[in-house]
Amino acid sequence: MRCSWTLCDTPRLPEGAGLPMQQHPSYGRACGSLGAEAFRLEWREGRRTLGTAQVLARHLPLVGRVALLSRGPVWMPDIATERSEAAMAELLSALGRRHRAILVTPETADGGPFSRGGMIPAMTAAHVARLALAPELTALRARLTPGWRNALTQAERMGLRVTETGLPDDPGHWLLRAEAAQAQARRYARLPPAFALAWARNGGTLLLSVEGACGPVAGILILIHPPWATYHLAWTSPAGRRLNAHTLLLWRAIERLKEMGIEALELGLIDTERTEGIARFKLGTGAAACPLGATWLRAPGTGWVARLARLVHRASVTQQAARTLRG
C-alpha cells in the first residue's frame, strides 16, 4: 500500500508521539534564520496523522542540494513496522528526486530500511539521556542516584537565589558568552549562540541561574518543544561547583517543566568514553539511555558501495557456515 507525503506549514503531531527538538517547527525556523531551508511533510490517512518529517536542506559547493532528516520521521506510536518502512522508502524516494545527497539519523536503531535502500552508514549510533517527567516529583526525587540526591540536598540548604526567565534577545548575554568561552577551552562542538537566540525568537526557552555576591555563578538554558524539552547549554563557575549550583538548577528546571505539562526532558548525548563524568551526571537524574539510529547517507555511488558491502557480508557468512560444517 503506497502512502503519500505532502508538504504542510504546520503538521499535526501523531497522537501520543514524542517530539525531539530536531523535529519541532521552532528548530526549523531557527535553522532557517541561520541559512538552511526547512520544510515539513506529513503522512495522513483520513483524519489520522501517521507520520511527520521536518527536513533541512542546503546547497553545498561541488555537491549540490543536500537534505538532512534528523531524529525523524515522528511516527504514530505502535505503527506496524512494515508500514513505517514502506512510508520511509516513499519519503526517501521523494527526497531523492530533489536532492543530490540525503542524510538521515532516525530515532530507531533499526537500520534495516536504510541498508536495503542503497544507503551507507556515515556515523555510528549513539544514545541520548531522556528523563520522563510523568511521575510525581516525590517519585522523581526517589529515582535520583544517592550522590545526585545528596548534592541537591546540600545545595538546597545553602539558600541559593535562583532566577528564572526566558532567554532575552541579547547576543552579549552573560550565559552565552560564558558557555562560548567554556566550549573553546574544552574544545567541544555545539550549536552556535546564534541558534539559541533564533530559537528564543520563535519558541519557548527556560533560563535559570544562581546569583552570587559578584554576579552569576551558574546558569542553564532549556529549549521547550512540547510535549518535550531539551537541556541545551549550561555553565558553572568554580564557586558554583562548590555549591552544587548546577544540580540545583537542573532540579528546579524539572519542577518548572512538570508545571508546564512537559512530558520528557532530553539531557543530550551520552559519551561514557570522553565525558564519563557528564554522562554519569545526566543518568544520575534517573534518565534512561535511549538508543538512536546511525546516520545514513545516500549520494551518487553509495548505492554501489552498499550493494558491495552486502555481497561481502554474505560471502563472509557463507564461509563461516562452511567452516562450521567442516568442523
Side-chain angles (χ1 to χ4, degrees):
M1 179 179 180
R2 293 178 63 86
C3 71
S4 177
W5 292 89
T6 57
L7 288 169
C8 57
D9 292 332
T10 308
R12 184 182 303 170
L13 187 68
E15 186 176 352
L19 189 61
M21 176 185 75
Q22 293 86 346
Q23 287 297 306
H24 193 274
S26 293
Y27 183 85
R29 289 190 288 265
C31 291
S33 70
L34 300 179
E37 174 193 347
F39 57 94
R40 288 163 287 279
L41 306 103
E42 68 176 0
W43 168 33
R44 301 193 67 184
E45 280 188 352
R47 297 184 178 182
R48 290 196 311 165
T49 302
L50 304 186
T52 64
Q54 178 166 253
V55 182
L56 300 182
R58 280 185 180 272
H59 189 279
L60 300 182
L62 304 178
V63 177
R65 188 174 168 87
V66 178
L68 170 63
L69 173 57
S70 182
R71 304 285 303 272
V74 176
W75 303 110
M76 179 184 72
D78 301 324
I79 188 170
T81 301
E82 58 271 18
R83 299 205 69 194
S84 63
E85 289 191 358
M88 189 74 233
E90 291 282 348
L91 179 58
L92 291 175
S93 178
L95 293 176
R97 289 192 287 270
R98 295 185 56 212
H99 301 84
R100 182 117 173 123
I102 305 170
L103 282 162
V104 181
T105 304
E107 277 289 272
T108 173
D110 177 19
F114 305 103
S115 60
R116 294 190 296 270
M119 306 187 81
I120 61 173
M123 294 180 64
T124 57
H127 286 74
V128 65
R130 185 181 304 144
L131 178 64
L133 299 180
E136 296 296 325
L137 277 175
T138 52
L140 287 173
R141 187 151 184 150
R143 295 178 185 180
L144 301 174
T145 60
W148 216 101
R149 189 163 50 249
N150 290 340
L152 174 60
T153 300
Q154 292 172 17
E156 289 172 331
R157 290 172 178 168
M158 295 289 181
L160 302 175
R161 184 164 64 92
V162 176
T163 301
E164 176 189 321
T165 65
L167 178 66
D169 192 4
D170 176 14
H173 189 272
W174 69 265
L175 180 56
L176 297 181
R177 289 188 288 105
E179 195 274 337
Q182 173 180 269
Q184 184 176 22
R186 298 181 183 177
R187 298 182 179 179
Y188 62 80
R190 88 278 192 249
L191 289 165
F195 173 85
L197 292 169
W199 183 290
R201 298 185 196 108
N202 296 283
T205 61
L206 177 62
L207 191 157
L208 295 101
S209 61
V210 170
E211 300 282 337
C214 300
V217 298
I220 64 172
L221 176 64
I222 307 290
L223 305 183
I224 301 170
H225 43 96
W228 292 359
T230 294
Y231 172 99
H232 183 59
L233 57 82
W235 169 84
T236 308
S237 70
R241 284 190 285 274
R242 290 193 295 271
L243 295 169
N244 295 309
H246 190 188
T247 305
L248 177 64
L249 289 179
L250 184 50
W251 180 252
R252 291 289 179 86
I254 291 169
E255 293 178 326
R256 185 71 181 98
L257 292 171
K258 274 192 62 66
E259 292 176 3
M260 297 167 63
I262 298 299
E263 298 173 2
L265 172 62
E266 289 211 333
L267 299 170
L269 296 177
I270 300 171
D271 187 341
T272 55
E273 294 183 1
R274 290 182 295 180
T275 54
E276 181 182 357
I278 295 175
R280 187 165 55 248
F281 177 80
K282 293 175 181 179
L283 296 176
T285 63
C290 301
L292 303 179
T295 298
W296 294 83
L297 168 67
R298 177 191 287 176
T302 57
W304 181 86
V305 173
R307 287 192 294 272
L308 179 61
R310 286 196 297 271
L311 289 173
V312 171
H313 175 70
R314 289 171 188 166
S316 175
V317 171
T318 300
Q319 291 174 359
Q320 180 63 40
R323 285 195 295 267
T324 301
L325 290 173
R326 288 197 302 268

